[in-house]
Amino acid sequence: MPQRFLITAILVLATLAAVALWLGRADIVGLWSADNSVKFPSEIAISSGAVYSAKFTDLHGDARTLGQWDRKLLIVNFWATWCGPCKEEIPILVKIQAKFGERDVQFIGIAADSRANVSNFAESTVVNYPLFPDELGAMEFSKRLGNRLGLLPHTVIFGPGGAVLYNKLGAISEIELNQIIAKNAPINH
Amino acid sequence: MKPLKQTMLPHWRALSGGWCFSAAVVRQAVLILTIAFMTSTVRAAEPDLLEPERAFALSARFKDQKTVELRYKVADGYYLYRARFKFMVEPTTSAKLGIAKFSKGKMKHDPTFGWVETYRDSVRILLPVATLAKETEPGQPPLRLKVTSQGCADAGVCYPPLHQLLTLQPGSLGVVLPDGEADAGSTARSRQSTPQNMPPTLSEVLRKPM
């Protein structure tokens, strides 16, 4: 009887694994972690220096370079108000920023959108990290980080010093963010 | 010498704890699992998203002297938003556009936008063109039409607004042709909302597929 059960179980598990893989949900069976991100070019031809020297103007009209966060885990989220999945994930980003802000984790939102649209959005939605509307520059910067088609949302996580730790097209989940931050956030000083 | 079948059966019974699978059942199970795993190898790969011009393939023609007909063939797994279409004639053209008529789309409840009309598979748009007497006569300058569309993929990403320039030859019922063939009928050039005169992007340099 145990052998019969074993064989049945193996067949059932194998079938489940095959179905899960076919559905693109390998994470269901724990074969590897969930990652529905679109494949990026393996190389990113932009130096950390160039990343940190990138300058954007926030909603208050202040020009800021990304280098001011070079000692933090910098999470750059490219988005736009016309992008549904982008707006949908923002509450998660806000939540994680609030949770890990004191652990030197910094989100910024670079919008491929007009200043007026982003300002309107910010008036109706609480966002606890800087927003930079730059209709043209956002897309160009995102493309230089491997987003060939300029798709949104696009999130890139830079470690302290500028190394790209994570690069994802499509919405990023709370679980993913928690895992990456737990592994890479700077130790408090 | 015993037949092979008889020597194998006791061993199989021992393995299965007395539950004897028939050879046909085992063969079917192996076949199903093999097919499932083979197809899973394809599906498990990360998706390669289409270029916007392929995801939302546009063609255009003069339906009659006063109407331009636009058709988008939307690739499987992609959709367009009705509210994001925009049409403009280039300043060099004296024509004026009327109110566009769209084929019926599908209402979709978007968590952030509420109920929105979207198009999958295809969308047909009839665009009235007023005061077009001269432009629609053969031999006259072509109508230059700017069309903006915006859509997303079910993979969970959205394309930036896609601006396409159509050059419709007067009186032509031709199809949209590639760049550089304006004289043959109508042409469509497209670009996304990206900066002009910017240095090439990483991907443009590498020319690697995603």
Side-chain angles (χ1 to χ4, degrees):
Chain A
M1 185 60 75
Q3 287 95 338
R4 174 184 165 182
F5 176 76
L6 184 65
I7 287 175
T8 307
I10 289 171
L11 282 174
V12 168
L13 285 174
T15 306
L16 279 175
V19 170
L21 284 167
W22 187 75
L23 291 171
R25 292 294 309 277
D27 55 304
I28 288 174
V29 288
L31 294 183
W32 58 78
S33 62
D35 184 0
N36 297 322
S37 59
V38 176
K39 191 179 288 181
F40 280 88
S42 56
E43 299 171 61
I44 293 178
I46 182 167
S47 67
S48 57
V51 168
Y52 284 145
S53 64
K55 187 184 288 184
F56 293 94
T57 303
D58 65 19
L59 287 177
H60 306 294
D62 298 325
R64 300 165 81 172
T65 55
L66 303 197
Q68 77 176 88
W69 297 293
D70 63 355
R71 294 181 183 278
K72 296 193 174 196
L73 190 73
L74 179 62
I75 304 178
V76 178
N77 176 243
F78 295 95
W79 70 290
T81 59
W82 43 259
C83 167
C86 302
K87 291 168 74 176
E88 212 173 325
E89 74 173 349
I90 283 179
I92 293 171
L93 311 187
V94 168
K95 181 179 174 183
I96 299 292
Q97 176 65 74
K99 184 178 175 183
F100 291 108
E102 292 182 356
R103 283 190 59 187
D104 281 342
V105 172
Q106 182 64 53
F107 281 81
I108 63 169
I110 303 179
D113 212 329
S114 69
R115 179 166 299 274
N117 285 347
V118 177
S119 292
N120 288 340
F121 177 82
E123 282 175 13
S124 60
T125 309
V126 175
V127 181
N128 56 358
Y129 53 83
L131 296 177
F132 301 101
D134 192 329
E135 201 157 8
L136 302 180
M139 206 55 85
E140 184 62 24
F141 193 34
S142 175
K143 286 185 175 183
R144 285 179 177 277
L145 290 163
N147 182 10
R148 185 172 61 95
L149 298 176
L151 303 168
L152 297 179
H154 176 205
T155 301
V156 187
I157 302 180
F158 299 94
V164 174
L165 304 176
Y166 202 72
N167 196 353
K168 179 170 184 176
L169 275 184
I172 194 164
S173 73
E174 190 173 345
I175 293 171
E176 284 172 288
L177 284 168
N178 276 318
Q179 287 175 346
I180 296 161
I181 290 169
K183 190 176 174 185
N184 297 290
I187 298 168
N188 275 340
H189 18 261
Chain B
M1 188 182 215
K2 290 181 180 178
L4 181 62
K5 190 175 179 182
Q6 287 179 3
T7 56
M8 291 300 289
L9 268 179
H11 174 64
W12 177 247
R13 281 203 180 101
L15 259 180
S16 61
W19 186 14
C20 184
F21 294 93
S22 74
V25 169
V26 172
R27 276 200 302 271
Q28 282 181 358
V30 169
L31 183 65
I32 289 169
L33 287 173
T34 304
I35 292 171
F37 271 111
M38 285 176 71
T39 55
S40 73
T41 307
V42 176
R43 288 294 303 271
E46 290 176 315
D48 282 326
L49 291 165
L50 296 174
E51 300 282 340
E53 294 84 356
R54 289 183 61 202
F56 314 109
L58 170 64
S59 62
R61 63 167 190 161
F62 272 106
K63 181 173 175 288
D64 54 47
Q65 294 285 304
K66 296 181 178 177
T67 312
V68 169
E69 179 183 44
L70 303 166
R71 281 181 185 270
Y72 284 89
K73 184 170 171 49
V74 182
D76 188 33
Y78 297 77
Y79 57 92
L80 285 166
Y81 287 101
R82 173 173 173 163
R84 310 279 164 72
F85 283 106
K86 288 179 188 168
F87 311 100
M88 280 177 60
V89 285
E90 287 226 315
T92 53
T93 313
S94 64
K96 292 182 180 175
L97 302 178
I99 297 172
K101 292 181 182 175
F102 291 79
S103 56
K104 189 170 174 56
K106 185 177 180 181
M107 296 307 291
K108 173 193 174 187
H109 189 267
D110 187 287
T112 55
F113 299 122
W115 287 101
V116 289
E117 190 168 5
T118 59
Y119 296 99
R120 292 179 182 272
D121 301 326
S122 68
V123 53
R124 178 172 177 250
I125 303 161
L126 296 178
L127 194 59
V129 185
T131 64
L132 198 61
K134 286 184 179 176
E135 280 80 358
T136 55
E137 290 172 8
Q140 295 300 313
L143 173 69
R144 292 169 66 83
L145 182 65
K146 277 185 179 176
V147 182
T148 301
S149 60
Q150 197 262 311
C152 302
D154 290 336
V157 291
C158 290
Y159 287 78
L162 177 65
H163 307 290
Q164 292 174 291
L165 177 63
L166 294 166
T167 306
L168 290 157
Q169 195 69 23
S172 169
L173 299 179
V175 294
V176 177
L177 298 172
D179 239 355
E181 298 183 43
D183 295 340
S186 58
T187 63
R189 287 192 287 117
S190 63
R191 64 176 177 82
Q192 287 176 295
S193 296
T194 50
Q196 301 299 303
N197 305 319
M198 293 291 284
T201 63
L202 157 69
S203 317
E204 286 166 351
V205 173
L206 294 177
R207 284 292 175 202
K208 281 185 179 178
M210 268 190 175

